[in-house]
PDB file of all heavy atoms in Angstrom:
ATOM      1  N   PRO A 143     145.236-148.959 -13.626  1.00 93.00           N
ATOM      2  CA  PRO A 143     144.022-147.952 -13.409  1.00 93.00           C
ATOM      3  C   PRO A 143     143.417-147.919 -12.179  1.00 93.00           C
ATOM      4  O   PRO A 143     142.784-146.897 -11.813  1.00 93.00           O
ATOM      5  CB  PRO A 143     143.135-148.456 -14.620  1.00 93.00           C
ATOM      6  CG  PRO A 143     143.897-149.211 -15.509  1.00 93.00           C
ATOM      7  CD  PRO A 143     144.958-149.888 -14.652  1.00 93.00           C
ATOM      8  N   GLU A 144     143.537-149.040 -11.448  1.00 94.00           N
ATOM      9  CA  GLU A 144     142.821-149.028 -10.116  1.00 94.00           C
ATOM     10  C   GLU A 144     143.645-148.344  -8.950  1.00 94.00           C
ATOM     11  O   GLU A 144     143.183-148.151  -7.948  1.00 94.00           O
ATOM     12  CB  GLU A 144     142.613-150.517  -9.685  1.00 94.00           C
ATOM     13  CG  GLU A 144     141.654-151.272 -10.303  1.00 94.00           C
ATOM     14  CD  GLU A 144     141.968-151.642 -11.813  1.00 94.00           C
ATOM     15  OE1 GLU A 144     143.185-151.635 -12.074  1.00 94.00           O
ATOM     16  OE2 GLU A 144     141.138-151.938 -12.648  1.00 94.00           O
ATOM     17  N   ALA A 147     142.124-145.343  -6.993  1.00 96.00           N
ATOM     18  CA  ALA A 147     141.139-145.551  -6.026  1.00 96.00           C
ATOM     19  C   ALA A 147     141.683-146.221  -4.822  1.00 96.00           C
ATOM     20  O   ALA A 147     141.260-145.732  -3.683  1.00 96.00           O
ATOM     21  CB  ALA A 147     140.132-146.671  -6.782  1.00 96.00           C
ATOM     22  N   ARG A 150     143.077-143.257  -2.903  1.00 96.00           N
ATOM     23  CA  ARG A 150     142.018-142.470  -2.246  1.00 96.00           C
ATOM     24  C   ARG A 150     141.574-143.168  -0.857  1.00 96.00           C
ATOM     25  O   ARG A 150     141.351-142.573   0.129  1.00 96.00           O
ATOM     26  CB  ARG A 150     140.836-142.206  -3.131  1.00 96.00           C
ATOM     27  CG  ARG A 150     141.187-141.328  -4.232  1.00 96.00           C
ATOM     28  CD  ARG A 150     139.836-140.741  -4.821  1.00 96.00           C
ATOM     29  NE  ARG A 150     139.006-141.862  -5.414  1.00 96.00           N
ATOM     30  CZ  ARG A 150     139.150-142.324  -6.507  1.00 96.00           C
ATOM     31  NH1 ARG A 150     140.078-141.974  -7.291  1.00 96.00           N
ATOM     32  NH2 ARG A 150     138.274-143.224  -6.966  1.00 96.00           N
ATOM     33  N   ASN A 167     138.088-134.317   1.179  1.00 96.00           N
ATOM     34  CA  ASN A 167     137.723-134.257  -0.254  1.00 96.00           C
ATOM     35  C   ASN A 167     138.760-133.684  -1.145  1.00 96.00           C
ATOM     36  O   ASN A 167     139.061-134.199  -2.283  1.00 96.00           O
ATOM     37  CB  ASN A 167     136.371-133.424  -0.441  1.00 96.00           C
ATOM     38  CG  ASN A 167     135.116-134.141   0.030  1.00 96.00           C
ATOM     39  OD1 ASN A 167     135.077-135.360  -0.098  1.00 96.00           O
ATOM     40  ND2 ASN A 167     134.136-133.464   0.541  1.00 96.00           N
ATOM     41  N   ARG A 170     141.702-136.217  -1.321  1.00 97.00           N
ATOM     42  CA  ARG A 170     141.316-137.332  -2.295  1.00 97.00           C
ATOM     43  C   ARG A 170     141.514-136.856  -3.731  1.00 97.00           C
ATOM     44  O   ARG A 170     142.018-137.680  -4.514  1.00 97.00           O
ATOM     45  CB  ARG A 170     139.972-137.721  -2.135  1.00 97.00           C
ATOM     46  CG  ARG A 170     139.653-138.395  -0.772  1.00 97.00           C
ATOM     47  CD  ARG A 170     138.065-138.805  -0.689  1.00 97.00           C
ATOM     48  NE  ARG A 170     137.919-140.211  -0.776  1.00 97.00           N
ATOM     49  CZ  ARG A 170     137.201-140.825  -1.699  1.00 97.00           C
ATOM     50  NH1 ARG A 170     136.566-140.143  -2.573  1.00 97.00           N
ATOM     51  NH2 ARG A 170     137.105-142.150  -1.716  1.00 97.00           N
ATOM     52  N   LEU A 171     141.118-135.655  -4.000  1.00 97.00           N
ATOM     53  CA  LEU A 171     141.289-135.190  -5.336  1.00 97.00           C
ATOM     54  C   LEU A 171     142.763-135.016  -5.738  1.00 97.00           C
ATOM     55  O   LEU A 171     143.273-135.523  -6.847  1.00 97.00           O
ATOM     56  CB  LEU A 171     140.428-133.867  -5.505  1.00 97.00           C
ATOM     57  CG  LEU A 171     140.466-133.284  -6.947  1.00 97.00           C
ATOM     58  CD1 LEU A 171     139.705-134.167  -7.883  1.00 97.00           C
ATOM     59  CD2 LEU A 171     139.872-131.816  -6.971  1.00 97.00           C
ATOM     60  N   SER A 174     144.469-138.383  -6.003  1.00 97.00           N
ATOM     61  CA  SER A 174     143.961-139.095  -7.123  1.00 97.00           C
ATOM     62  C   SER A 174     144.621-138.569  -8.423  1.00 97.00           C
ATOM     63  O   SER A 174     145.064-139.434  -9.406  1.00 97.00           O
ATOM     64  CB  SER A 174     142.469-138.900  -7.270  1.00 97.00           C
ATOM     65  OG  SER A 174     141.856-139.984  -8.150  1.00 97.00           O
ATOM     66  N   GLU A 175     144.746-137.266  -8.569  1.00 96.00           N
ATOM     67  CA  GLU A 175     145.291-136.791  -9.739  1.00 96.00           C
ATOM     68  C   GLU A 175     146.894-137.117  -9.930  1.00 96.00           C
ATOM     69  O   GLU A 175     147.247-137.442 -10.884  1.00 96.00           O
ATOM     70  CB  GLU A 175     145.201-135.206  -9.748  1.00 96.00           C
ATOM     71  CG  GLU A 175     143.700-134.747  -9.860  1.00 96.00           C
ATOM     72  CD  GLU A 175     142.927-135.051 -11.047  1.00 96.00           C
ATOM     73  OE1 GLU A 175     143.560-135.760 -11.974  1.00 96.00           O
ATOM     74  OE2 GLU A 175     141.707-134.836 -11.208  1.00 96.00           O
ATOM     75  N   THR A 178     147.203-140.716 -10.673  1.00 93.00           N
ATOM     76  CA  THR A 178     146.710-140.935 -12.063  1.00 93.00           C
ATOM     77  C   THR A 178     147.884-140.578 -13.049  1.00 93.00           C
ATOM     78  O   THR A 178     148.201-141.365 -13.970  1.00 93.00           O
ATOM     79  CB  THR A 178     145.421-140.136 -12.391  1.00 93.00           C
ATOM     80  OG1 THR A 178     144.408-140.538 -11.546  1.00 93.00           O
ATOM     81  CG2 THR A 178     145.066-140.269 -13.893  1.00 93.00           C
ATOM     82  N   VAL A 181     150.549-143.159 -12.910  1.00 92.00           N
ATOM     83  CA  VAL A 181     150.291-144.370 -13.719  1.00 92.00           C
ATOM     84  C   VAL A 181     150.309-144.187 -15.220  1.00 92.00           C
ATOM     85  O   VAL A 181     150.601-144.993 -15.895  1.00 92.00           O
ATOM     86  CB  VAL A 181     148.807-144.834 -13.229  1.00 92.00           C
ATOM     87  CG1 VAL A 181     148.363-146.002 -14.089  1.00 92.00           C
ATOM     88  CG2 VAL A 181     148.761-145.253 -11.784  1.00 92.00           C
ATOM     89  N   ARG A 182     149.794-142.970 -15.629  1.00 87.00           N
ATOM     90  CA  ARG A 182     149.726-142.794 -17.044  1.00 87.00           C
ATOM     91  C   ARG A 182     151.164-142.669 -17.653  1.00 87.00           C
ATOM     92  O   ARG A 182     151.354-143.077 -18.721  1.00 87.00           O
ATOM     93  CB  ARG A 182     149.053-141.430 -17.205  1.00 87.00           C
ATOM     94  CG  ARG A 182     147.560-141.411 -17.453  1.00 87.00           C
ATOM     95  CD  ARG A 182     147.109-140.023 -17.710  1.00 87.00           C
ATOM     96  NE  ARG A 182     145.661-139.924 -17.320  1.00 87.00           N
ATOM     97  CZ  ARG A 182     144.708-140.233 -18.052  1.00 87.00           C
ATOM     98  NH1 ARG A 182     144.795-140.704 -19.225  1.00 87.00           N
ATOM     99  NH2 ARG A 182     143.445-140.076 -17.702  1.00 87.00           N
ATOM    100  N   GLU A 216     144.218-123.612 -18.061  1.00 50.00           N
ATOM    101  CA  GLU A 216     142.914-124.268 -18.128  1.00 50.00           C
ATOM    102  C   GLU A 216     142.322-124.380 -19.459  1.00 50.00           C
ATOM    103  O   GLU A 216     141.838-125.398 -19.816  1.00 50.00           O
ATOM    104  CB  GLU A 216     141.988-123.284 -17.166  1.00 50.00           C
ATOM    105  CG  GLU A 216     140.650-123.926 -17.013  1.00 50.00           C
ATOM    106  CD  GLU A 216     139.657-122.883 -16.493  1.00 50.00           C
ATOM    107  OE1 GLU A 216     140.157-121.810 -16.154  1.00 50.00           O
ATOM    108  OE2 GLU A 216     138.460-123.190 -16.362  1.00 50.00           O
ATOM    109  N   VAL A 222     144.362-134.485 -20.558  1.00 56.00           N
ATOM    110  CA  VAL A 222     143.768-134.736 -19.191  1.00 56.00           C
ATOM    111  C   VAL A 222     144.662-134.602 -18.159  1.00 56.00           C
ATOM    112  O   VAL A 222     144.362-134.083 -16.978  1.00 56.00           O
ATOM    113  CB  VAL A 222     143.076-136.221 -19.233  1.00 56.00           C
ATOM    114  CG1 VAL A 222     142.688-136.598 -17.912  1.00 56.00           C
ATOM    115  CG2 VAL A 222     141.915-136.169 -20.251  1.00 56.00           C
ATOM    116  N   ARG A 225     145.152-131.016 -17.198  1.00 81.00           N
ATOM    117  CA  ARG A 225     143.999-130.575 -16.339  1.00 81.00           C
ATOM    118  C   ARG A 225     143.992-131.131 -14.943  1.00 81.00           C
ATOM    119  O   ARG A 225     143.687-130.443 -13.927  1.00 81.00           O
ATOM    120  CB  ARG A 225     142.662-130.968 -17.024  1.00 81.00           C
ATOM    121  CG  ARG A 225     141.476-130.225 -16.444  1.00 81.00           C
ATOM    122  CD  ARG A 225     140.199-130.828 -17.099  1.00 81.00           C
ATOM    123  NE  ARG A 225     139.949-130.355 -18.414  1.00 81.00           N
ATOM    124  CZ  ARG A 225     139.847-131.117 -19.453  1.00 81.00           C
ATOM    125  NH1 ARG A 225     140.004-132.427 -19.277  1.00 81.00           N
ATOM    126  NH2 ARG A 225     139.586-130.660 -20.611  1.00 81.00           N
ATOM    127  N   GLY A 226     144.499-132.360 -14.762  1.00 89.00           N
ATOM    128  CA  GLY A 226     144.618-132.906 -13.396  1.00 89.00           C
ATOM    129  C   GLY A 226     145.504-132.120 -12.611  1.00 89.00           C
ATOM    130  O   GLY A 226     145.265-131.838 -11.445  1.00 89.00           O
ATOM    131  N   TRP A 228     146.357-129.117 -13.116  1.00 90.00           N
ATOM    132  CA  TRP A 228     145.653-127.779 -12.839  1.00 90.00           C
ATOM    133  C   TRP A 228     144.734-127.840 -11.562  1.00 90.00           C
ATOM    134  O   TRP A 228     144.682-126.913 -10.779  1.00 90.00           O
ATOM    135  CB  TRP A 228     144.888-127.449 -14.042  1.00 90.00           C
ATOM    136  CG  TRP A 228     144.310-126.076 -14.074  1.00 90.00           C
ATOM    137  CD1 TRP A 228     144.922-124.886 -14.421  1.00 90.00           C
ATOM    138  CD2 TRP A 228     142.888-125.753 -13.635  1.00 90.00           C
ATOM    139  NE1 TRP A 228     144.092-123.912 -14.234  1.00 90.00           N
ATOM    140  CE2 TRP A 228     142.848-124.279 -13.728  1.00 90.00           C
ATOM    141  CE3 TRP A 228     141.863-126.417 -13.106  1.00 90.00           C
ATOM    142  CZ2 TRP A 228     141.732-123.621 -13.405  1.00 90.00           C
ATOM    143  CZ3 TRP A 228     140.654-125.718 -12.904  1.00 90.00           C
ATOM    144  CH2 TRP A 228     140.543-124.295 -12.971  1.00 90.00           C
ATOM    145  N   LEU A 229     144.133-128.924 -11.479  1.00 93.00           N
ATOM    146  CA  LEU A 229     143.170-129.169 -10.264  1.00 93.00           C
ATOM    147  C   LEU A 229     144.120-129.315  -8.914  1.00 93.00           C
ATOM    148  O   LEU A 229     143.802-128.688  -7.959  1.00 93.00           O
ATOM    149  CB  LEU A 229     142.390-130.430 -10.288  1.00 93.00           C
ATOM    150  CG  LEU A 229     141.139-130.333 -11.309  1.00 93.00           C
ATOM    151  CD1 LEU A 229     140.518-131.673 -11.498  1.00 93.00           C
ATOM    152  CD2 LEU A 229     140.170-129.369 -10.621  1.00 93.00           C
ATOM    153  N   LEU A 232     145.112-126.001  -7.948  1.00 93.00           N
ATOM    154  CA  LEU A 232     143.855-125.203  -7.359  1.00 93.00           C
ATOM    155  C   LEU A 232     143.642-125.583  -5.971  1.00 93.00           C
ATOM    156  O   LEU A 232     143.416-124.719  -5.190  1.00 93.00           O
ATOM    157  CB  LEU A 232     142.732-125.500  -8.207  1.00 93.00           C
ATOM    158  CG  LEU A 232     141.433-124.645  -8.067  1.00 93.00           C
ATOM    159  CD1 LEU A 232     141.691-123.320  -8.657  1.00 93.00           C
ATOM    160  CD2 LEU A 232     140.312-125.283  -8.843  1.00 93.00           C
ATOM    161  N   TYR A 233     143.743-126.841  -5.680  1.00 95.00           N
ATOM    162  CA  TYR A 233     143.363-127.348  -4.333  1.00 95.00           C
ATOM    163  C   TYR A 233     144.408-127.353  -3.365  1.00 95.00           C
ATOM    164  O   TYR A 233     144.189-127.358  -2.173  1.00 95.00           O
ATOM    165  CB  TYR A 233     142.646-128.741  -4.482  1.00 95.00           C
ATOM    166  CG  TYR A 233     141.177-128.557  -4.934  1.00 95.00           C
ATOM    167  CD1 TYR A 233     140.755-128.609  -6.294  1.00 95.00           C
ATOM    168  CD2 TYR A 233     140.117-128.199  -4.055  1.00 95.00           C
ATOM    169  CE1 TYR A 233     139.523-128.391  -6.668  1.00 95.00           C
ATOM    170  CE2 TYR A 233     138.874-127.987  -4.353  1.00 95.00           C
ATOM    171  CZ  TYR A 233     138.450-128.109  -5.745  1.00 95.00           C
ATOM    172  OH  TYR A 233     137.220-128.027  -6.130  1.00 95.00           O
TER     173      TYR A 233
ATOM    174  N   ALA B  30     138.644-154.362  -7.642  1.00 57.00           N
ATOM    175  CA  ALA B  30     139.779-153.643  -7.186  1.00 57.00           C
ATOM    176  C   ALA B  30     139.642-152.109  -7.376  1.00 57.00           C
ATOM    177  O   ALA B  30     140.058-151.394  -6.417  1.00 57.00           O
ATOM    178  CB  ALA B  30     141.102-154.112  -7.745  1.00 57.00           C
ATOM    179  N   GLY B  31     138.982-151.603  -8.367  1.00 68.00           N
ATOM    180  CA  GLY B  31     138.945-150.226  -8.629  1.00 68.00           C
ATOM    181  C   GLY B  31     137.881-149.468  -7.854  1.00 68.00           C
ATOM    182  O   GLY B  31     137.385-149.997  -6.837  1.00 68.00           O
ATOM    183  N   ALA B  32     137.552-148.161  -8.307  1.00 75.00           N
ATOM    184  CA  ALA B  32     136.529-147.523  -7.856  1.00 75.00           C
ATOM    185  C   ALA B  32     135.162-148.138  -8.014  1.00 75.00           C
ATOM    186  O   ALA B  32     134.983-148.645  -9.192  1.00 75.00           O
ATOM    187  CB  ALA B  32     136.563-146.167  -8.339  1.00 75.00           C
ATOM    188  N   GLU B  53     132.217-143.575  -8.087  1.00 96.00           N
ATOM    189  CA  GLU B  53     133.286-142.622  -8.314  1.00 96.00           C
ATOM    190  C   GLU B  53     133.805-142.771  -9.728  1.00 96.00           C
ATOM    191  O   GLU B  53     134.052-143.880 -10.270  1.00 96.00           O
ATOM    192  CB  GLU B  53     134.457-143.037  -7.302  1.00 96.00           C
ATOM    193  CG  GLU B  53     134.018-142.892  -5.911  1.00 96.00           C
ATOM    194  CD  GLU B  53     135.204-142.998  -4.878  1.00 96.00           C
ATOM    195  OE1 GLU B  53     136.146-143.729  -5.166  1.00 96.00           O
ATOM    196  OE2 GLU B  53     135.046-142.538  -3.684  1.00 96.00           O
ATOM    197  N   ASP B  55     136.955-142.169 -11.983  1.00 95.00           N
ATOM    198  CA  ASP B  55     138.405-141.852 -12.169  1.00 95.00           C
ATOM    199  C   ASP B  55     139.020-142.626 -13.264  1.00 95.00           C
ATOM    200  O   ASP B  55     138.398-143.061 -14.217  1.00 95.00           O
ATOM    201  CB  ASP B  55     138.988-142.270 -10.707  1.00 95.00           C
ATOM    202  CG  ASP B  55     139.039-143.772 -10.461  1.00 95.00           C
ATOM    203  OD1 ASP B  55     138.610-144.553 -11.243  1.00 95.00           O
ATOM    204  OD2 ASP B  55     139.713-144.154  -9.460  1.00 95.00           O
ATOM    205  N   LEU B  56     140.338-142.909 -13.170  1.00 93.00           N
ATOM    206  CA  LEU B  56     141.131-143.499 -14.252  1.00 93.00           C
ATOM    207  C   LEU B  56     140.566-144.863 -14.511  1.00 93.00           C
ATOM    208  O   LEU B  56     140.458-145.349 -15.770  1.00 93.00           O
ATOM    209  CB  LEU B  56     142.585-143.607 -13.749  1.00 93.00           C
ATOM    210  CG  LEU B  56     143.530-144.182 -14.959  1.00 93.00           C
ATOM    211  CD1 LEU B  56     143.605-143.220 -16.027  1.00 93.00           C
ATOM    212  CD2 LEU B  56     145.001-144.313 -14.173  1.00 93.00           C
ATOM    213  N   SER B  57     140.018-145.524 -13.530  1.00 94.00           N
ATOM    214  CA  SER B  57     139.630-147.044 -13.675  1.00 94.00           C
ATOM    215  C   SER B  57     138.218-147.073 -14.199  1.00 94.00           C
ATOM    216  O   SER B  57     137.840-147.992 -15.005  1.00 94.00           O
ATOM    217  CB  SER B  57     139.835-147.771 -12.439  1.00 94.00           C
ATOM    218  OG  SER B  57     138.884-147.249 -11.415  1.00 94.00           O
ATOM    219  N   PHE B  87     132.622-138.784  -6.187  1.00 96.00           N
ATOM    220  CA  PHE B  87     133.981-138.315  -6.601  1.00 96.00           C
ATOM    221  C   PHE B  87     134.203-138.331  -8.092  1.00 96.00           C
ATOM    222  O   PHE B  87     133.750-139.234  -8.672  1.00 96.00           O
ATOM    223  CB  PHE B  87     135.095-139.264  -5.906  1.00 96.00           C
ATOM    224  CG  PHE B  87     136.402-138.875  -6.308  1.00 96.00           C
ATOM    225  CD1 PHE B  87     137.102-137.963  -5.603  1.00 96.00           C
ATOM    226  CD2 PHE B  87     137.111-139.488  -7.404  1.00 96.00           C
ATOM    227  CE1 PHE B  87     138.530-137.612  -5.927  1.00 96.00           C
ATOM    228  CE2 PHE B  87     138.462-139.150  -7.811  1.00 96.00           C
ATOM    229  CZ  PHE B  87     139.035-138.260  -7.068  1.00 96.00           C
ATOM    230  N   LEU B  88     134.807-137.311  -8.566  1.00 95.00           N
ATOM    231  CA  LEU B  88     135.338-137.377  -9.956  1.00 95.00           C
ATOM    232  C   LEU B  88     136.556-136.584 -10.049  1.00 95.00           C
ATOM    233  O   LEU B  88     136.756-135.646  -9.268  1.00 95.00           O
ATOM    234  CB  LEU B  88     134.291-136.998 -11.088  1.00 95.00           C
ATOM    235  CG  LEU B  88     133.587-135.629 -11.019  1.00 95.00           C
ATOM    236  CD1 LEU B  88     134.508-134.575 -11.491  1.00 95.00           C
ATOM    237  CD2 LEU B  88     132.309-135.681 -11.983  1.00 95.00           C
ATOM    238  N   ASP B  89     137.394-136.960 -11.089  1.00 94.00           N
ATOM    239  CA  ASP B  89     138.635-136.198 -11.250  1.00 94.00           C
ATOM    240  C   ASP B  89     138.844-135.914 -12.636  1.00 94.00           C
ATOM    241  O   ASP B  89     137.885-135.855 -13.443  1.00 94.00           O
ATOM    242  CB  ASP B  89     139.805-137.026 -10.704  1.00 94.00           C
ATOM    243  CG  ASP B  89     139.971-138.384 -11.387  1.00 94.00           C
ATOM    244  OD1 ASP B  89     139.476-138.540 -12.465  1.00 94.00           O
ATOM    245  OD2 ASP B  89     140.801-139.192 -10.835  1.00 94.00           O
ATOM    246  N   ALA B  90     140.064-135.514 -13.061  1.00 92.00           N
ATOM    247  CA  ALA B  90     140.306-134.864 -14.465  1.00 92.00           C
ATOM    248  C   ALA B  90     139.985-136.078 -15.480  1.00 92.00           C
ATOM    249  O   ALA B  90     139.546-135.656 -16.616  1.00 92.00           O
ATOM    250  CB  ALA B  90     141.679-134.420 -14.550  1.00 92.00           C
ATOM    251  N   SER B  91     140.088-137.319 -15.238  1.00 92.00           N
ATOM    252  CA  SER B  91     139.825-138.309 -16.211  1.00 92.00           C
ATOM    253  C   SER B  91     138.301-138.210 -16.515  1.00 92.00           C
ATOM    254  O   SER B  91     137.854-138.432 -17.648  1.00 92.00           O
ATOM    255  CB  SER B  91     140.261-139.788 -15.738  1.00 92.00           C
ATOM    256  OG  SER B  91     140.476-139.830 -14.565  1.00 92.00           O
ATOM    257  N   ILE B  93     136.375-135.473 -16.300  1.00 92.00           N
ATOM    258  CA  ILE B  93     136.213-134.195 -17.068  1.00 92.00           C
ATOM    259  C   ILE B  93     136.566-134.515 -18.645  1.00 92.00           C
ATOM    260  O   ILE B  93     135.833-133.956 -19.365  1.00 92.00           O
ATOM    261  CB  ILE B  93     137.195-133.195 -16.625  1.00 92.00           C
ATOM    262  CG1 ILE B  93     136.945-132.819 -15.049  1.00 92.00           C
ATOM    263  CG2 ILE B  93     137.003-131.757 -17.352  1.00 92.00           C
ATOM    264  CD1 ILE B  93     135.569-132.378 -14.696  1.00 92.00           C
ATOM    265  N   GLY B  94     137.683-135.252 -18.849  1.00 90.00           N
ATOM    266  CA  GLY B  94     137.909-135.547 -20.193  1.00 90.00           C
ATOM    267  C   GLY B  94     136.818-136.321 -20.952  1.00 90.00           C
ATOM    268  O   GLY B  94     136.469-136.013 -22.107  1.00 90.00           O
ATOM    269  N   ILE B 118     131.973-131.564  -3.924  1.00 93.00           N
ATOM    270  CA  ILE B 118     133.212-131.341  -4.552  1.00 93.00           C
ATOM    271  C   ILE B 118     133.106-131.655  -5.989  1.00 93.00           C
ATOM    272  O   ILE B 118     133.731-131.217  -6.884  1.00 93.00           O
ATOM    273  CB  ILE B 118     134.447-132.058  -3.864  1.00 93.00           C
ATOM    274  CG1 ILE B 118     135.745-131.526  -4.411  1.00 93.00           C
ATOM    275  CG2 ILE B 118     134.280-133.659  -4.078  1.00 93.00           C
ATOM    276  CD1 ILE B 118     136.980-131.720  -3.630  1.00 93.00           C
ATOM    277  N   GLU B 121     131.829-128.693  -7.553  1.00 92.00           N
ATOM    278  CA  GLU B 121     132.927-127.695  -7.586  1.00 92.00           C
ATOM    279  C   GLU B 121     133.943-127.894  -8.569  1.00 92.00           C
ATOM    280  O   GLU B 121     134.505-126.989  -9.286  1.00 92.00           O
ATOM    281  CB  GLU B 121     133.591-127.883  -6.157  1.00 92.00           C
ATOM    282  CG  GLU B 121     134.216-126.575  -5.608  1.00 92.00           C
ATOM    283  CD  GLU B 121     134.777-126.767  -4.246  1.00 92.00           C
ATOM    284  OE1 GLU B 121     133.956-126.958  -3.356  1.00 92.00           O
ATOM    285  OE2 GLU B 121     135.977-126.735  -4.042  1.00 92.00           O
ATOM    286  N   VAL B 122     134.370-129.179  -8.815  1.00 93.00           N
ATOM    287  CA  VAL B 122     135.362-129.573  -9.795  1.00 93.00           C
ATOM    288  C   VAL B 122     134.801-129.247 -11.166  1.00 93.00           C
ATOM    289  O   VAL B 122     135.545-128.717 -12.041  1.00 93.00           O
ATOM    290  CB  VAL B 122     135.801-130.951  -9.671  1.00 93.00           C
ATOM    291  CG1 VAL B 122     136.528-131.431 -10.826  1.00 93.00           C
ATOM    292  CG2 VAL B 122     136.676-131.143  -8.490  1.00 93.00           C
ATOM    293  N   MET B 125     135.054-125.470 -11.562  1.00 86.00           N
ATOM    294  CA  MET B 125     136.364-124.970 -11.508  1.00 86.00           C
ATOM    295  C   MET B 125     137.085-125.225 -12.902  1.00 86.00           C
ATOM    296  O   MET B 125     137.863-124.465 -13.414  1.00 86.00           O
ATOM    297  CB  MET B 125     137.105-125.605 -10.474  1.00 86.00           C
ATOM    298  CG  MET B 125     136.813-125.109  -9.059  1.00 86.00           C
ATOM    299  SD  MET B 125     136.985-123.504  -8.698  1.00 86.00           S
ATOM    300  CE  MET B 125     136.797-123.498  -6.942  1.00 86.00           C
ATOM    301  N   THR B 126     136.799-126.459 -13.361  1.00 84.00           N
ATOM    302  CA  THR B 126     137.452-126.766 -14.690  1.00 84.00           C
ATOM    303  C   THR B 126     136.862-126.068 -15.898  1.00 84.00           C
ATOM    304  O   THR B 126     137.226-126.207 -16.972  1.00 84.00           O
ATOM    305  CB  THR B 126     137.563-128.274 -14.858  1.00 84.00           C
ATOM    306  OG1 THR B 126     136.173-128.738 -14.720  1.00 84.00           O
ATOM    307  CG2 THR B 126     138.463-128.952 -13.973  1.00 84.00           C
ATOM    308  N   GLY B 127     135.757-125.513 -15.604  1.00 79.00           N
ATOM    309  CA  GLY B 127     135.088-124.645 -16.738  1.00 79.00           C
ATOM    310  C   GLY B 127     134.129-125.507 -17.476  1.00 79.00           C
ATOM    311  O   GLY B 127     133.566-125.161 -18.474  1.00 79.00           O
TER     312      GLY B 127
END
Side-chain angles (χ1 to χ4, degrees):
Chain A
E144 287 76 18
R150 292 197 301 277
N167 283 331
R170 291 178 107 235
L171 184 64
S174 199
E175 299 297 358
T178 298
V181 170
R182 273 183 203 277
E216 183 193 359
V222 170
R225 193 185 286 118
W228 187 83
L229 283 172
L232 191 69
Y233 280 95
Chain B
E53 302 189 331
D55 70 355
L56 186 65
S57 63
F87 177 87
L88 59 72
D89 63 15
S91 15
I93 303 298
I118 194 154
E121 210 176 291
V122 167
M125 295 294 194
T126 50

